[in-house]
Amino acid sequence: MISKLSRTNVLAIRCLDDLVLVGMGPTLHVFQWSNECERYELRNKLNCLYLSNIHGIVAGPDNKLVVFGAKSICVCDIINLREAIILKKQCTDQLNDWIIAVEWISIEGQMQLAILFAHNYLCLYNTFDKTSQNVHCEEKCILYGGSISGTSQENLVVFSGTVFKEILIWKIDNNYDINERMPVLHRLIGHKGVIFSVNYDSCSQLICSTSDDRSVRFWKVVKNENLESYHLNWQTAKIVLVKTMFVHAARVWKAIIKDDIVVTIGEDSLMCTWSLSGNLLNKVHHGAPIWSIDISKDSRRIFTGGADGSVYMWQTTHHINPKIISLSSNDTHSNPKFISYLRNDTLLIFTESGMLFCYDKEKILRRRFSPSSKTQRNYYIMQVSPSRFFVAFASREGYVTIYQVSQDDHFVTGFVSHVIEERIMESQIFSLHWLEHANSTSLIACGANGLLKIFTLIIHVDIAKIRIDAQFVLPPSRERWLTATIIYKQLLICGDRAGNVYVYKWNEQTNKDKKEPIQILNKVHGKIGVQSFNIWEEKLMTTGRDGMLRFYELNKDETKPLLMLHRKKMPIDWISGMLKSVDGHCTPFIFGFKEVEFIIYNLSTESIVIRVPCGGGHRSWDCIMSGATTSFIYIQNKQIYVFNYPLSSALFPILQNGFHIKETYCLQHISKIGFLKQDNIFISGGEDCTLRVSCIRESFEDDSHDAFHNLGNFDGHLSGIKCISTIKLKKTDDSISKYLVFSGGGRAQLKIWEIRIKNKDWIPISHSISSSDLSCLDIKSHMLYGQDQYRRKPWQESEQSYIIEPETRYMDIRIHYSSKNPNHVLVFIACADGYLRLFIYNITTNDICLKVSTKHVDRCILKMYILSHKSKVIILTMTTDGILRFFNFTKTVLKIHKDANIGNQDIVDFSDEPFAEFRLHQSGINSFDLKHMDEDRYLLATGGDDNLLNLVCFQLCISENDALSAVTLSKWSTASAHSAQITGLKFKDDDQICSVGIDQEVIVHSYSWSHGVISANKLNQVFTSVTDVQGMDLWPSVV
Amino acid sequence: MGKTSKDKRDIYYRKAKEEGWRARSAFKLLQIDTECHIFDGVSKAVDLCAAPGSWSQVLARKLNENYKKALETGNASPPKIVAVDLQAMAPLEGVIQLQGDITNTNTAQQIIAHFDNTQADLVVCDGAPDVTGLHDMDIFIQSQLLLAALNITTHILRPGGTFVAKIFRAKDVSFLYAQLRIFFPYVYCTKPSSSRNSSIEAFVVCKDYSPPEGYKPHMLNPLLTHEPCNFEELTGVNRIIVPFVVCGDLNQPDSDMCYPLNLDGKKYKYHEPVQTPIAPPYAEALSLLENRRAGSSFTFDHETEFNETDINIAIENGASSMAEFKKNALITATENNSEDSDAIAKTESIKDENKEEEATIAALQNLYVSEEAGNIDNILI
């Protein structure tokens, strides 16, 4: 058994020329920049520290690397050939103490290792002959962090960050015998918590420390002037605390000092960039707690590793001062109203008085004129085309005038040339938008009474023409004009100011009829208009001012062509739109405002890339990402602010995508798809409140790596997801498979999702399933005590009024679904308040209704199973008292189905005693699996909190009067297989069973059943680097 | 989250407040006693890593019961309890408090001095490290804490005495059992029912202290770390397996279960925590955050660097005083330049208006304040 793929904490990361070395679990992963793919690609991996996780990687001379973690170190060679990266392991050594830091040093011309241990002593370690020399510090205490600076034994300085909130600086003092305890030279006091890291930068002579107290502290090393010397004398130097910064909202793990910046990372997922004087330059969000960081040699790229297994690349940022443009102050009417960039960096400013100012690249005013020079043309709306080649103005009298980027000379910016002016509307034009479709340049104008006119600009040699293509009508509403529009797969989709979305049939033929919408979606983002429409991964996406992205796709239904899919919460309140990078990766960037900041968010990494404190949502602003620069402009106090960031959208930021940010509680394999069934689709839920659909692609070549893809992650749970259960729906359409997913967890919340996966069995093996092949509908959310917004009533707020019911957790979900009742799904839920609850879900009406709520004993139910034995429905419950109970639900299930067919929603009483009880464990049953042996005999495996693994063979009997009973035939158990809780158990083919526990052991046992006796023995065992295993699933490999 | 939500989630937390315990962990020691009878005949006890003091509370109560019982039958000496912790702890009646480091020999001598140079009958340790979230590191630090506790115990425990300590049941747990078995013939791993099912925490109960012949306790030689560790040895047949015992019978409430607030027909009453934590490491960070929240709104002025206005709360050490800094943080101003949403024409009669949108900086700071504040699991807040 070996680990094929993992996603766990990335605790170490190191840049080495064009390579990025990543330590995840015990395995070293090597990524290399590929010019061809314009991204970093995984080239090789090596299991360096089996049994321990990699905590650090240190590069030495001659392609040598030392990889360390816990009490192990591994020395390996890394050989970068053009066609391959070769990793050669030299040795893996077990040491006697926890390793805090390692450095390569030269001792008598030989490269050796200086190792700092958690008990605050140093070891000079010879990797060739394994000899070592320990040097102790006089202070004996536990270290959480520390570093070693220096290149030889003489100039070696140790920075120890202690559990007692101090930083100790000490070195090997030649005046002492090597076996004596070395004195502490400096004791830096100030932190209020455990020190997690201390770093010293010899160029800036700065020490940066990070701590549990959430602060970052800078300490300056000051040479003693009287003892002038080139080398710093640590004995006589003075160290002063220069700055303490509180920005991180949780523990600060690490800091890195590089040239003129310091970058800190923490548990709060923030990466903060500081100047050496301690000013915050940028604060970005990784999406998951960040464990590791490194900066490339050229200081341009930062790499971070997260708790979710993700590895991202960032661009270093520095402080940017905005450029401010003020319009000439002698003109009192020159309040800027609209601003926008054109494609050649021309900046357009359109004022309230109808004046247009054209600025060039250097922000010098080149031209100033009024498009409304003629009478009866009062232009007041400006819109730039998506290509940024054209700019259109609309007037109160129904006129439209269009200008384009000056074509005379491409290098001269700051000019526009007139294309056409025409009256297209009888009334005032209320709004004007550009439409992108089939290479034509079209606009949509909205007039009085909701009249929409689509017209195309046709330029033939030197003659420009406007052709009216089609007319539509917006239904009446409070504010009857457009806020955004798009053409999506033969549909024209419009959003009005009142927040409604209208869907019209669209065809290319010119048609003069005024068409009505065929589908209306009300207030999709609340009562404020949709801010933008975008197409992402073949799905339609709307953005709004409710902080949500909403997704849609085409439905087969003619009357409702647009199907609303899931929604996604953004860390942005007012989401204005999206921009895709122009490289091959089409990285999606979301723009918007959150309180006083403008935010650019990378949707694929789910991280905030940039924040600009601009003061809040602006009437007019623009943002372009071109080449290596991102520009953001906005109007404030009648002035135009221009920010230019050295941020390229074309640098693909993902080296490796991550999995759940916090604990993964449940995981279920649902399907194998692809030509060779090589793509394994699974669903998982976790403490981060998200449901994930992922794919593991098995590789067929010996040497290559199984690949992990994230197909989608869906939020909507208010608390962690503890359990999921799925059913596959009957196929109505050969091109897609549909699944119903039931997820439950904290706050007694149940959610029902419909997952649709496109059938890709015919496609070549070289193509993998991608997120565009998956769609997810968030179809139902149910909370036991009602949704939050209905729960707290003002009149309940009186003194001493508490909601008495417990906030129960849903611990396990099981589905009873049979072809006899294809419309109804029975959902059994095991709850932490000791209740077993049974819901009925109607697929057609999308109604869910509680039918049974029963408690047998005051113990939390951890696991549950539905055993359909002959015509009987038997519920097995496993609780924290270690008892397995059998309940006969046959009659209740029949009654519920009968009720459902006549529409009776009453609660069904169930208070039957269990017909059998097996006392299997001293405490909680954490895992189980059940297997049908023959006729009425079953094999059950249970694993408990008490380290005990049980194998029980039992028989179910139905007596003549239809009563059920269960009898244990044989039982086998072991308490010595695992030394901690057993959290996963699965039966495997060939009479084998797999178990996994918190002791990180995965064990395969083989069992046999002979002469009525069950017994088992250990076959194989392997360690997993997952420290807090929550469960296990098995699926057959196709290789 | 209301203030009752933790009461609903955690029955032992609620019960601890009702019964006046400083932390829910008091029940763990009580439940261990019902199963393992650790207090039988004990009159001198040491509580290592005692803060916030709930185990000392249990010791005080149980040892006094022992004393009263002993008085009925004849002469008895009053109980003596010494509680040791690095941090200061609120005083407790009948408990001698010692602020000290358990890895230091002086601490051992001080404890013995309090017992008039005799040794203790029972040593308990409920110490846990500041959890980092890195499981392997947390488990290592916990094992070091246990070994440090064992080390000082070898100085202060009388032969035949009992040692109870917290242990994390994880990867290398068998290794720790092996260490304990050198000193105690009877080692059990116990889990009180008040400890959650999902938690890796358990307690070792070690009875009949019998150090190896010729063993001389000294602090300079922590046992574990300087001994070569052969993992294979520990996974093979030589692996030490210790019995696992669950403490607390079915009459005890279930720590994994959610209970209604009105329990057993009694009307629920909210109780304030008995003892709030003393100086958590992030106290300063929290108070700074609150100051920022107090300042209601801010202006953005591009004349100043943005980091100076709000995003950063930096303390210029030695330069400005704290009071000055707080004053700066409270400067308020209104902002009137962000405008209302959409660039949409309105009818002639409605003049475009600049709506004032007050932007508060406080909310910005709240962005990433996660549940860290609630991280101190065992201490009642």
Side-chain angles (χ1 to χ4, degrees):
Chain A
M1 274 192 288
I2 50 156
S3 163
K4 297 261 280 176
L5 187 119
S6 66
R7 279 294 183 280
T8 179
N9 298 318
V10 176
L11 301 181
I13 200 159
R14 190 64 60 220
C15 296
L16 207 63
D17 305 321
D18 67 335
L19 303 181
V20 177
L21 311 173
V22 170
M24 186 170 58
T27 312
L28 182 73
H29 296 68
V30 182
F31 292 85
Q32 185 174 35
W33 178 258
S34 154
N35 280 327
E36 192 187 328
C37 306
E38 299 179 295
R39 60 173 293 175
Y40 280 90
E41 299 245 289
L42 179 63
R43 299 295 300 273
N44 203 348
K45 54 182 189 178
L46 178 72
N47 189 338
C48 287
L49 305 177
Y50 178 60
L51 299 183
S52 304
N53 294 326
I54 298 174
H55 283 249
I57 304 163
V58 185
D62 311 327
N63 304 319
K64 275 211 180 350
L65 277 184
V66 58
V67 176
F68 68 91
K71 298 175 185 173
S72 314
I73 59 165
C74 169
V75 179
C76 55
D77 291 313
I78 180 159
I79 302 152
N80 189 351
L81 302 174
R82 195 164 296 160
E83 64 277 18
I85 308 282
I86 297 167
L87 285 167
K88 252 200 299 203
K89 201 194 299 195
Q90 282 194 349
C91 60
T92 302
D93 297 340
Q94 290 291 318
L95 305 173
N96 297 327
D97 197 2
W98 187 275
I99 302 163
I100 296 288
V102 177
E103 202 58 62
W104 289 95
I105 57 164
S106 95
I107 295 175
E108 289 154 6
Q110 200 181 17
M111 288 315 286
Q112 296 195 6
L113 292 176
I115 305 171
L116 175 65
F117 287 108
H119 284 79
N120 200 19
Y121 68 99
L122 200 63
C123 174
L124 304 175
Y125 189 79
N126 188 322
T127 56
F128 298 102
D129 59 12
K130 314 284 180 206
T131 54
S132 65
Q133 168 73 56
N134 289 349
V135 187
H136 289 260
C137 171
E138 64 173 351
E139 180 89 4
K140 202 159 63 75
C141 63
I142 295 253
L143 310 184
Y144 271 70
S147 64
I148 303 167
S149 163
T151 49
S152 69
Q153 186 173 336
E154 288 68 42
N155 65 13
L156 211 60
V157 183
V158 180
F159 302 86
S160 303
T162 78
V163 65
F164 301 132
K165 307 159 196 171
E166 292 178 352
I167 297 158
L168 310 174
I169 301 174
W170 58 285
K171 59 183 298 194
I172 304 174
D173 191 330
N174 289 331
N175 299 323
Y176 287 73
D177 184 86
I178 198 104
N179 292 315
E180 278 183 89
R181 292 189 164 265
M182 299 298 161
V184 173
L185 302 178
H186 297 278
R187 205 177 273 270
L188 311 185
I189 296 169
H191 276 293
K192 302 277 178 359
V194 169
I195 315 287
F196 287 127
S197 81
V198 202
N199 280 80
Y200 170 65
D201 179 57
S202 55
C203 298
S204 54
Q205 302 198 327
L206 199 69
I207 297 170
C208 175
S209 59
T210 63
S211 159
D212 194 15
D213 67 7
R214 304 177 181 184
S215 72
V216 177
R217 286 171 205 241
F218 285 178
W219 316 74
K220 188 84 192 159
V221 182
V222 186
K223 268 192 218 171
N224 189 324
E225 295 295 334
N226 300 331
L227 302 161
E228 196 87 14
S229 148
Y230 176 70
H231 290 291
L232 181 70
N233 184 335
W234 282 94
Q235 264 101 347
T236 56
K238 263 179 66 184
I239 299 173
V240 282
L241 177 64
V242 285
K243 204 146 191 184
T244 306
M245 290 91 76
F246 288 94
V247 166
H248 284 280
R251 298 181 181 103
V252 194
W253 293 124
K254 279 182 188 161
I256 184 165
I257 309 173
K258 188 86 182 18
D259 302 338
D260 59 345
I261 55 167
V262 180
V263 185
T264 58
I265 52 168
E267 197 186 20
D268 54 0
S269 314
L270 288 182
M271 179 175 84
C272 296
T273 307
W274 313 86
S275 70
L276 292 186
S277 52
N279 291 325
L280 185 69
L281 302 179
N282 196 17
K283 181 169 91 168
V284 295
H285 198 256
H286 179 106
I290 316 173
W291 289 120
S292 50
I293 182 165
D294 200 17
I295 302 182
S296 66
K297 210 171 174 184
D298 63 4
S299 304
R300 289 169 62 186
R301 297 171 183 188
I302 304 176
F303 297 87
T304 56
D308 57 349
S310 61
V311 180
Y312 296 150
M313 182 182 74
W314 310 79
Q315 298 164 61
T316 44
T317 43
H318 301 273
H319 182 70
I320 304 291
N321 273 318
K323 193 172 218 158
I324 300 166
I325 301 172
S326 304
L327 299 179
S328 51
S329 54
N330 53 10
D331 188 353
T332 49
H333 298 290
S334 62
N335 288 347
K337 189 173 178 188
F338 293 107
I339 47 174
S340 199
Y341 277 110
L342 289 180
R343 72 188 307 170
N344 61 356
D345 289 324
T346 303
L347 171 63
L348 300 181
I349 301 171
F350 188 56
T351 67
E352 278 176 8
S353 56
M355 287 300 286
L356 183 69
F357 294 74
C358 303
Y359 285 80
D360 69 5
K361 214 175 195 160
E362 270 66 52
K363 310 294 176 274
I364 296 163
L365 181 64
R366 303 303 289 243
R367 206 171 155 212
R368 175 177 183 271
F369 66 97
S370 170
S372 324
S373 51
K374 290 177 201 156
T375 50
Q376 298 297 310
R377 317 268 153 97
N378 198 355
Y379 287 107
Y380 76 118
I381 297 176
M382 179 178 95
Q383 285 287 348
V384 168
S385 71
S387 65
R388 297 185 184 271
F389 194 77
F390 296 101
V391 56
F393 298 88
S395 88
R396 297 192 202 275
E397 298 77 23
Y399 282 90
V400 164
T401 183
I402 299 173
Y403 292 80
Q404 67 180 27
V405 170
S406 274
Q407 279 183 306
D408 311 336
D409 189 343
H410 279 287
F411 297 98
V412 178
T413 68
F415 294 97
V416 287
S417 53
H418 190 245
V419 180
I420 196 165
E421 180 174 35
E422 201 167 307
R423 188 167 192 212
I424 54 147
M425 198 71 81
E426 304 297 316
S427 67
Q428 177 183 1
I429 297 174
F430 285 90
S431 72
L432 184 70
H433 290 88
W434 291 85
L435 265 183
E436 261 181 304
H437 72 104
N439 299 327
S440 62
T441 310
S442 300
L443 288 112
I444 182 164
C446 178
N449 301 321
L451 178 65
L452 301 176
K453 280 189 181 176
I454 294 190
F455 56 96
T456 302
L457 175 69
I458 301 160
I459 302 175
H460 210 66
V461 196
D462 271 343
I463 305 148
K465 237 171 64 183
I466 278 177
R467 181 188 74 208
I468 306 285
D469 290 335
Q471 298 189 62
F472 300 92
V473 178
L474 276 182
S477 81
R478 177 166 54 84
E479 287 159 299
R480 202 175 176 186
W481 59 79
L482 289 188
T483 54
T485 181
I486 199 168
I487 288 172
Y488 174 66
K489 299 184 177 173
Q490 309 303 316
L491 297 173
L492 172 73
I493 301 178
C494 297
D496 74 357
R497 181 66 175 78
N500 304 314
V501 169
Y502 303 106
V503 182
Y504 300 87
K505 248 198 196 124
W506 167 260
N507 43 33
E508 302 286 330
Q509 279 94 37
T510 310
N511 193 332
K512 289 281 154 66
D513 300 342
K514 291 180 192 169
K515 281 187 272 187
E516 303 276 340
I518 51 171
Q519 186 183 3
I520 299 173
L521 301 162
N522 286 319
K523 309 223 174 344
V524 289
H525 289 284
K527 42 183 188 193
I528 302 171
V530 170
Q531 298 291 300
S532 76
F533 290 103
N534 302 279
I535 294 168
W536 172 239
E537 287 178 330
E538 297 177 32
K539 297 180 183 78
L540 177 73
M541 182 180 97
T542 60
T543 70
R545 287 183 62 176
D546 57 349
M548 291 285 181
L549 301 180
R550 283 184 179 275
F551 295 87
Y552 314 78
E553 68 178 12
L554 274 195
N555 202 3
K556 289 261 151 79
D557 189 344
E558 283 285 315
T559 59
K560 286 178 186 158
L562 210 56
L563 177 70
M564 196 186 270
L565 303 171
H566 68 287
R567 57 186 192 170
K568 200 165 188 67
K569 182 99 188 90
M570 290 285 108
I572 307 173
D573 295 334
W574 176 345
I575 309 170
S576 303
M578 183 174 89
L579 192 147
K580 284 173 242 177
S581 73
V582 287
D583 61 346
H585 303 295
C586 290
T587 311
F589 293 96
I590 307 285
F591 295 137
F593 297 89
K594 166 116 186 158
E595 277 127 22
V596 295
E597 290 181 321
F598 172 71
I599 288 173
I600 303 179
Y601 179 87
N602 184 328
L603 190 59
S604 60
T605 60
E606 303 201 335
S607 54
I608 292 171
V609 181
I610 225 161
R611 302 155 182 265
V612 186
C614 64
H618 289 271
R619 162 158 299 186
S620 187
W621 56 275
D622 197 11
C623 183
I624 51 165
M625 300 174 95
S626 66
T629 311
T630 295
S631 303
F632 171 61
I633 46 170
Y634 63 92
I635 304 172
Q636 191 174 34
N637 287 339
K638 299 175 186 174
Q639 290 179 317
I640 291 96
Y641 288 81
V642 183
F643 281 88
N644 287 319
Y645 287 94
L647 178 77
S648 165
S649 68
L651 278 177
F652 187 67
I654 306 174
L655 277 74
Q656 175 168 289
N657 50 20
F659 198 48
H660 286 284
I661 288 164
K662 294 177 182 169
E663 291 91 335
T664 308
Y665 285 134
C666 46
L667 185 150
Q668 201 175 33
H669 182 264
I670 58 161
S671 166
K672 294 175 87 68
I673 58 172
F675 186 63
L676 291 166
K677 302 274 173 219
Q678 75 281 16
D679 287 330
N680 294 286
I681 311 293
F682 60 94
I683 301 182
S684 56
E687 182 64 23
D688 60 0
C689 311
T690 62
L691 185 81
R692 276 180 174 267
V693 184
S694 320
C695 167
I696 290 180
R697 157 168 278 232
E698 285 185 60
S699 95
F700 294 92
E701 293 145 58
D702 288 346
D703 228 23
S704 60
H705 320 284
D706 281 14
F708 172 85
H709 303 285
N710 180 13
L711 299 181
N713 57 344
F714 307 102
D715 46 39
H717 267 278
L718 299 171
S719 184
I721 302 175
K722 292 290 268 184
C723 46
I724 44 179
S725 193
T726 52
I727 50 170
K728 191 170 180 176
L729 293 177
K730 224 177 128 226
K731 262 194 187 157
T732 50
D733 176 353
D734 267 348
S735 64
I736 49 171
S737 307
K738 289 186 191 173
Y739 298 85
L740 275 187
V741 179
F742 298 80
S743 59
R747 311 279 309 272
Q749 189 183 20
L750 171 72
K751 279 187 86 77
I752 306 171
W753 318 76
E754 186 183 309
I755 302 241
R756 300 173 166 207
I757 301 170
K758 281 188 198 146
N759 195 339
K760 287 271 176 133
D761 287 354
W762 48 271
I763 58 155
I765 181 133
S766 55
H767 287 68
S768 186
I769 180 168
S770 75
S771 34
S772 58
D773 299 323
L774 180 106
S775 29
C776 175
L777 286 75
D778 180 349
I779 51 180
K780 190 84 195 170
S781 184
H782 177 270
M783 287 177 86
L784 195 57
Y785 301 110
Q787 305 278 0
D788 267 1
Q789 60 263 45
Y790 310 119
R791 278 186 73 170
R792 282 220 169 241
K793 301 286 189 305
W795 57 87
Q796 286 180 349
E797 297 284 354
S798 62
E799 201 192 338
Q800 290 297 303
S801 89
Y802 304 116
I803 298 156
I804 296 298
E805 298 95 2
E807 279 281 15
T808 190
R809 286 184 298 277
Y810 288 164
M811 304 298 286
D812 202 5
I813 289 191
R814 296 282 162 170
I815 303 299
H816 184 70
Y817 182 58
S818 70
S819 51
K820 271 189 274 173
N821 288 288
N823 210 15
H824 293 108
V825 184
L826 294 187
V827 187
F828 287 83
I829 301 180
C831 308
D833 58 358
Y835 279 88
L836 177 69
R837 292 189 169 88
L838 170 52
F839 293 86
I840 186 158
Y841 173 66
N842 186 322
I843 295 179
T844 340
T845 63
N846 192 25
D847 282 328
I848 189 154
C849 168
L850 177 68
K851 292 300 286 185
V852 177
S853 192
T854 175
K855 181 166 80 169
H856 180 70
V857 62
D858 261 345
R859 294 288 125 172
C860 164
I861 309 175
L862 295 170
K863 297 282 167 198
M864 184 196 24
Y865 187 73
I866 306 170
L867 179 57
S868 296
H869 176 69
K870 293 174 180 162
S871 61
K872 305 287 182 200
V873 181
I874 301 161
I875 302 298
L876 278 58
T877 62
M878 285 154 266
T879 41
T880 49
D881 55 7
I883 299 174
L884 164 72
R885 293 182 177 84
F886 294 77
F887 294 92
N888 184 355
F889 263 80
T890 317
K891 280 184 192 152
T892 312
V893 165
L894 279 175
K895 171 148 180 38
I896 289 169
H897 273 136
K898 211 186 275 170
D899 278 2
N901 292 331
I902 57 167
N904 180 355
Q905 297 207 332
D906 295 346
I907 293 271
V908 176
D909 183 54
F910 181 92
S911 50
D912 293 3
E913 292 288 309
F915 66 84
E917 283 191 5
F918 294 173
R919 175 170 281 280
L920 296 171
H921 294 270
Q922 292 186 64
S923 53
I925 304 176
N926 289 330
S927 54
F928 78 99
D929 199 14
L930 190 90
K931 189 179 171 171
H932 187 214
M933 287 171 75
D934 52 35
E935 216 161 315
D936 48 7
R937 283 187 301 191
Y938 294 87
L939 193 57
L940 171 79
T942 59
D945 181 45
D946 56 355
N947 314 351
L948 194 71
L949 173 66
N950 277 315
L951 264 178
V952 185
C953 177
F954 68 88
Q955 187 169 26
L956 286 175
C957 310
I958 306 171
S959 70
E960 282 173 11
N961 58 4
D962 210 32
L964 272 162
S965 62
V967 194
T968 308
L969 298 177
S970 172
K971 187 175 148 188
W972 175 88
S973 62
T974 173
S976 60
H978 288 276
S979 57
Q981 289 114 301
I982 300 168
T983 49
L985 268 177
K986 280 280 173 212
F987 282 108
K988 195 172 166 284
D989 300 337
D990 312 322
D991 293 341
Q992 291 180 355
I993 182 159
C994 299
S995 65
V996 66
I998 301 288
D999 57 359
Q1000 293 177 243
E1001 292 198 58
V1002 183
I1003 303 176
V1004 182
H1005 315 257
S1006 82
Y1007 63 86
S1008 61
W1009 167 257
S1010 65
H1011 309 294
V1013 175
I1014 187 102
S1015 65
N1017 60 303
K1018 196 186 279 185
L1019 265 189
N1020 196 350
Q1021 115 185 63
V1022 71
F1023 273 87
T1024 166
S1025 59
V1026 182
T1027 43
D1028 53 344
V1029 183
Q1030 300 284 333
M1032 173 168 58
D1033 199 3
L1034 291 184
W1035 60 77
S1037 162
V1038 291
V1039 181
Chain B
M1 285 290 191
K3 64 177 179 177
T4 61
S5 62
K6 203 168 174 189
D7 280 356
K8 286 179 201 165
R9 261 183 309 167
D10 192 338
I11 181 77
Y12 283 100
Y13 171 82
R14 197 197 313 173
K15 272 177 66 123
K17 289 194 300 177
E18 285 166 9
E19 294 179 20
W21 301 112
R22 287 185 177 180
R24 67 196 289 284
S25 61
F27 294 105
K28 296 175 188 168
L29 194 61
L30 289 168
Q31 288 173 345
I32 290 168
D33 177 53
T34 34
E35 196 71 34
C36 305
H37 308 286
I38 53 172
F39 298 126
D40 288 3
V42 172
S43 68
K44 286 174 288 184
V46 178
D47 184 2
L48 301 173
C49 308
S54 61
W55 276 28
S56 292
Q57 284 181 296
V58 174
L59 288 172
R61 183 191 288 185
K62 284 288 176 180
L63 266 49
N64 269 314
E65 283 173 17
N66 281 357
Y67 176 56
K68 278 176 199 153
K69 227 179 274 169
L71 278 180
E72 287 165 17
T73 55
N75 267 352
S77 53
K80 222 162 210 182
I81 298 152
V82 177
V84 188
D85 205 293
L86 270 175
Q87 294 168 22
M89 192 172 93
L92 268 175
E93 205 192 322
V95 177
I96 301 160
Q97 286 192 27
L98 246 171
Q99 203 172 342
D101 175 7
I102 60 165
T103 58
N104 199 318
T105 337
N106 287 337
T107 313
Q109 278 155 4
Q110 285 180 51
I111 297 168
I112 292 170
H114 280 294
F115 293 133
D116 304 322
N117 291 317
T118 60
Q119 289 175 309
D121 304 315
L122 170 69
V123 179
V124 295
C125 175
D126 191 24
D130 293 320
V131 173
T132 62
L134 283 176
H135 284 258
D136 50 355
M137 181 124 182
D138 290 340
I139 290 160
F140 169 77
I141 303 273
Q142 174 64 32
S143 73
Q144 296 310 301
L145 205 61
L146 174 75
L147 290 166
L150 175 63
N151 206 22
I152 195 167
T153 298
T154 61
H155 288 77
I156 58 179
L157 188 64
R158 69 164 169 81
T162 305
F163 174 58
V164 178
K166 181 181 280 183
I167 191 168
F168 283 171
R169 276 195 299 157
K171 199 173 89 178
D172 294 344
V173 70
S174 329
F175 185 50
L176 288 171
Y177 294 152
Q179 296 275 331
L180 292 163
R181 282 288 292 274
I182 296 171
F183 297 92
F184 298 91
Y186 305 106
V187 178
Y188 308 93
C189 178
T190 66
K191 180 144 177 157
S193 59
S194 50
S195 180
R196 282 192 201 93
N197 177 68
S198 50
S199 160
I200 61 167
E201 159 200 277
F203 296 88
V204 277
V205 175
C206 309
K207 286 195 162 181
D208 192 12
Y209 175 56
S210 351
E213 220 168 294
Y215 176 80
K216 249 210 155 81
H218 70 115
M219 284 295 185
L220 294 176
N221 179 24
L223 304 135
L224 178 87
T225 55
H226 298 196
E227 236 170 66
C229 152
N230 186 341
F231 206 85
E232 289 306 309
E233 216 169 80
L234 293 163
T235 54
V237 278
N238 298 329
R239 185 164 85 163
I240 295 207
I241 309 282
V242 307
F244 180 82
V245 186
V246 170
C247 307
D249 57 24
L250 291 182
N251 299 323
Q252 300 285 333
D254 180 357
S255 53
D256 292 283
M257 195 162 132
C258 310
Y259 287 87
L261 289 179
N262 294 337
L263 202 57
D264 306 326
K266 273 186 284 183
K267 178 117 176 60
Y268 172 78
K269 187 173 175 299
Y270 177 77
H271 290 266
E272 289 297 331
V274 177
Q275 184 67 52
T276 49
I278 300 168
Y282 45 82
E284 193 178 352
L286 274 184
S287 75
L288 288 170
L289 196 69
E290 266 154 32
N291 282 332
R292 276 177 279 174
R293 280 183 193 147
S296 59
S297 60
F298 265 85
T299 307
F300 258 102
D301 181 359
H302 288 287
E303 307 305 319
T304 57
E305 280 183 89
F306 90 81
N307 44 50
E308 279 177 15
T309 52
D310 75 303
I311 306 286
N312 174 12
I313 289 287
I315 297 169
E316 205 71 54
N317 292 92
S320 60
S321 71
M322 191 65 193
E324 204 178 332
F325 165 72
K326 280 184 182 168
K327 203 175 73 194
N328 289 336
L330 286 164
I331 292 171
T332 57
T334 43
E335 120 122 304
N336 61 353
N337 30 37
S338 73
E339 300 171 341
D340 187 36
S341 61
D342 312 88
I344 295 296
K346 296 174 184 174
T347 42
E348 297 283 328
S349 59
I350 306 166
K351 285 266 179 197
D352 283 358
E353 49 188 14
N354 291 358
K355 280 189 190 160
E356 288 186 13
E357 220 172 72
E358 257 199 2
T360 59
I361 212 76
L364 174 73
Q365 308 290 355
N366 299 346
L367 234 175
Y368 297 108
V369 183
S370 44
E371 58 284 85
E372 266 71 49
N375 254 351
I376 355 140
D377 175 38
N378 284 333
I379 300 168
L380 301 180
I381 308 173

